[in-house]
Amino acid sequence: MSGWLIALIVVCLVLIVWSLFSTSSILKEKASMNKELDADIPDEVKKRPYLFNPILVVYVVFFVALAAITIFYVFR
């Protein structure tokens, strides 16, 4: 395996572990508050719903990175 592949695997594993811990801590915090989980939508999100949607942002970043990697290997 090349050095770049190992570095990419390590970065991916770190991101997965970090997101697991952050998600679990947020869920524990919400469960301990005994409060309504749904809240009003902030005005910034109402004005730009696509920009502040993290799922859509991740899809865009993924496809841009995928296109860049594909172009890199095709024209190498």
Side-chain angles (χ1 to χ4, degrees):
M1 280 200 256
S2 70
W4 286 105
L5 183 60
I6 293 172
L8 182 62
I9 290 171
V10 169
V11 168
C12 289
L13 288 175
V14 168
L15 284 173
I16 289 170
V17 170
W18 175 76
S19 60
L20 175 70
F21 283 124
S22 66
T23 302
S24 64
S25 67
I26 288 172
L27 290 176
K28 286 179 187 176
E29 178 184 326
K30 290 288 186 183
S32 68
M33 292 177 75
N34 292 334
K35 164 177 163 177
E36 187 177 337
L37 295 179
D38 291 335
D40 290 335
I41 298 173
D43 289 334
E44 295 85 17
V45 176
K46 287 180 184 177
K47 290 178 187 173
R48 299 176 192 89
Y50 301 111
L51 181 63
F52 288 103
N53 187 339
I55 301 301
L56 294 177
V57 172
V58 168
Y59 275 120
V60 168
V61 169
F62 170 75
F63 285 117
V64 167
L66 183 66
I69 291 170
T70 303
I71 290 169
F72 174 77
Y73 280 113
V74 166
F75 293 111
R76 186 171 89 152

